[in-house]
Amino acid sequence: MVSTHKKDKPWDTPDIDKWKIEEFKPEDNASGSPFLEESSFVTLFPKYREEYLKSVWADVTKALQKYHIDCTLNIVEGSMTVKTTRKTYDPMAILNARDLIKLLGRSVPFPQAVKILQDDTVCEIIKIDGMVSNKERFIKRRQRLIGPSGNTLKALELLTDCYMLVQGNTVAVMGPHQGLKTLRRVIEDCMKNIHPIYHIKELMIRKELAKRPELANESWDRFLPQFKKRTVARKKPKQVKDAEGKGKKEKVYTPFPPQQLPRKVDLQIESGEYFLSKKEKKVKELQEKKQKQDEMKEIKQQERAKDYVAPDEDVRENPLLKKSKKRKGSLEDDDKKKERKKSKKEIKHETNSDQDD
């Protein structure tokens, strides 16, 4: 049964932040003795990170010395190792060191990765390679997380107070627990073909609503946008478009399978080739080959004959000849006119003579 007895707590004042994580100090270790066993973690790193890790490793060892943790960089094996020492007093420090080398291996820069040693910062490396089967779709959806010139990534970082790095098949995230939870949901939905802009709009509204204390005990569903999934008409395949353009009708579905095609032996029996002897078969094959050769020979001869056909040329007309033709035509016309006049005069003369008679 729960106790209902309440006592006054003079140390519990309103100015105390109950969610604050205080720093772990050596005197907080109740036993006061070193760890009974050594704990160590090893992480591999890719070849392209070798030069950067060499230049930064002095700063890494310096940062881990504050927590009494040793670290080694093995370039031959391509690995980083962190382990506890006899002076290590914080049991959480080795786990933070493990996360630090993981982040360094995933291309997170050292000034950002070293923040994981703080108590209020946690990290997560989300694998996204297995969420999408098609490689082209995976690249497009991964690019959505970054956005045009990195705008989507910056917006998510500002709204969640987290650091986010998209690298290869993973996404490295650093920040508070609540921000990590939100970012994981955004990343998983993005890989399921839900654009991050919908989450960004929702986060912006939530951030503004959190500033209003009168809405602290109310439901925010009426303020949040409701995005419904629409069934968009997809593009038709090229074969379907071509068939529609030619005016072909769609095939009617029938539950019965198509008729089985005849075997090669059945075709030979129908043509009678199956019953021929070997010599007759060879003679038939030679005849077919010769017939094909003759056909090909005729086709090639026709193609060669095309090269010897004279092309159509434009006939050049002499302008002087045109003039002479015109003159001849004009002289002939004059003669015809004169003959017509003569004939008219003769007819008149005959008519006049008849009248006199």
Side-chain angles (χ1 to χ4, degrees), residues 3-245:
S3 175
T4 56
H5 180 68
K6 292 181 180 180
K7 288 184 178 180
D8 293 332
K9 299 174 182 175
W11 62 87
D12 191 4
T13 54
D15 60 331
I16 293 172
D17 185 7
K18 296 178 181 179
W19 294 100
K20 185 182 177 182
I21 301 170
E22 294 182 359
E23 188 181 355
F24 193 86
K25 295 177 182 178
E27 53 267 20
D28 294 331
N29 190 355
S31 63
S33 59
F35 297 151
L36 297 173
E37 292 186 5
E38 183 186 271
S39 299
S40 63
F41 293 98
V42 183
T43 304
L44 300 174
F45 61 86
K47 183 72 176 175
Y48 62 85
R49 292 290 290 169
E50 187 177 318
E51 292 297 324
Y52 179 77
L53 290 171
K54 275 184 191 177
S55 61
V56 172
W57 200 250
D59 297 327
V60 175
T61 52
K62 194 175 180 182
L64 292 174
Q65 273 177 2
K66 295 177 184 178
Y67 301 92
H68 303 288
I69 290 173
D70 283 344
C71 59
T72 53
L73 177 67
N74 193 337
I75 295 165
V76 178
E77 292 180 1
S79 63
M80 295 177 282
T81 310
V82 288
K83 56 185 178 181
T84 55
T85 61
R86 297 284 295 175
K87 293 181 180 180
T88 307
Y89 58 87
D90 187 1
M92 196 67 190
I94 186 64
L95 299 177
N96 292 337
R98 175 202 62 185
D99 294 339
L100 172 64
I101 59 174
K102 274 187 182 179
L103 292 168
L104 289 171
R106 292 311 308 156
S107 300
V108 178
F110 172 72
Q112 181 64 39
V114 78
K115 292 178 183 177
I116 197 66
L117 298 175
Q118 299 171 7
D119 292 329
D120 58 345
T121 307
V122 289
C123 76
E124 191 173 1
I125 294 168
I126 303 162
K127 290 185 179 181
I128 56 173
D129 57 340
M131 294 182 183
V132 185
S133 57
N134 192 342
K135 192 176 180 181
E136 291 178 1
R137 284 181 190 170
F138 169 72
I139 292 164
K140 282 182 182 178
R141 292 177 188 180
R142 185 182 63 181
Q143 187 59 32
R144 285 180 195 169
L145 289 169
I146 301 165
S149 64
N151 289 334
T152 308
L153 193 69
K154 288 172 189 173
L156 288 169
E157 285 180 351
L158 288 168
L159 291 166
T160 57
D161 298 327
C162 291
Y163 172 82
M164 182 174 160
L165 178 72
V166 181
Q167 175 73 17
N169 296 330
T170 58
V171 180
V173 185
M174 284 179 64
H177 288 281
Q178 189 64 34
L180 256 65
K181 189 179 177 182
T182 307
L183 273 178
R184 173 172 266 282
R185 186 163 58 92
V186 173
I187 292 160
E188 286 178 353
D189 286 350
C190 183
M191 290 294 121
K192 292 173 185 175
N193 203 19
I194 298 169
H195 205 282
I197 195 70
Y198 299 129
H199 291 286
I200 288 168
K201 286 181 181 178
E202 186 182 334
L203 289 168
M204 287 171 72
I205 293 164
R206 284 182 181 278
K207 199 168 187 179
E208 291 299 319
L209 291 170
K211 295 175 184 177
R212 299 171 66 178
E214 64 270 14
L215 297 172
N217 298 322
E218 291 185 21
S219 177
W220 293 353
D221 292 340
R222 56 198 172 103
F223 301 108
L224 299 174
Q226 301 294 327
F227 299 107
K228 292 181 181 179
K229 195 171 183 181
R230 296 176 183 175
T231 53
V232 182
R234 296 191 177 184
K235 289 182 179 179
K236 291 180 180 179
K238 191 180 178 183
Q239 292 177 352
V240 177
K241 283 184 179 179
D242 293 341
E244 287 178 357

Side-chain angles (χ1 to χ4, degrees), residues 178-346:
Q178 189 64 34
L180 256 65
K181 189 179 177 182
T182 307
L183 273 178
R184 173 172 266 282
R185 186 163 58 92
V186 173
I187 292 160
E188 286 178 353
D189 286 350
C190 183
M191 290 294 121
K192 292 173 185 175
N193 203 19
I194 298 169
H195 205 282
I197 195 70
Y198 299 129
H199 291 286
I200 288 168
K201 286 181 181 178
E202 186 182 334
L203 289 168
M204 287 171 72
I205 293 164
R206 284 182 181 278
K207 199 168 187 179
E208 291 299 319
L209 291 170
K211 295 175 184 177
R212 299 171 66 178
E214 64 270 14
L215 297 172
N217 298 322
E218 291 185 21
S219 177
W220 293 353
D221 292 340
R222 56 198 172 103
F223 301 108
L224 299 174
Q226 301 294 327
F227 299 107
K228 292 181 181 179
K229 195 171 183 181
R230 296 176 183 175
T231 53
V232 182
R234 296 191 177 184
K235 289 182 179 179
K236 291 180 180 179
K238 191 180 178 183
Q239 292 177 352
V240 177
K241 283 184 179 179
D242 293 341
E244 287 178 357
K246 291 175 183 177
K248 288 182 180 178
K249 294 181 180 178
E250 291 183 1
K251 292 181 179 178
V252 181
Y253 172 74
T254 55
F256 305 104
Q259 192 175 1
Q260 191 174 2
L261 295 169
R263 296 180 302 161
K264 192 176 180 181
V265 177
D266 296 335
L267 293 170
Q268 286 177 352
I269 290 167
E270 285 179 8
S271 63
E273 188 183 347
Y274 184 77
F275 304 103
L276 296 174
S277 62
K278 287 184 179 179
K279 286 183 180 180
E280 289 174 341
K281 283 180 182 179
K282 281 183 181 179
V283 170
K284 192 178 180 182
E285 284 177 4
L286 290 168
Q287 285 176 355
E288 287 176 356
K289 278 184 182 179
K290 195 174 182 182
Q291 192 177 352
K292 284 181 182 178
Q293 285 173 0
D294 293 339
E295 287 174 1
M296 291 300 294
K297 197 174 182 181
E298 285 179 8
I299 292 163
K300 284 181 179 178
Q301 283 177 355
Q302 288 173 5
E303 288 177 356
R304 286 171 189 165
K306 286 178 184 177
D307 298 335
Y308 297 102
V309 176
D312 296 331
E313 295 181 356
D314 297 332
V315 181
R316 186 177 174 277
E317 293 181 357
N318 195 344
L320 297 171
L321 292 171
K322 280 184 180 179
K323 287 179 182 178
S324 62
K325 283 179 182 177
K326 283 180 182 178
R327 283 176 187 174
K328 284 179 183 179
S330 61
L331 290 169
E332 287 174 358
D333 292 338
D334 293 339
D335 294 337
K336 286 178 181 177
K337 284 178 182 179
K338 285 177 182 179
E339 286 176 0
R340 284 173 189 169
K341 283 179 181 180
K342 282 180 183 180
S343 61
K344 282 179 181 179
K345 284 179 182 180
E346 288 174 358

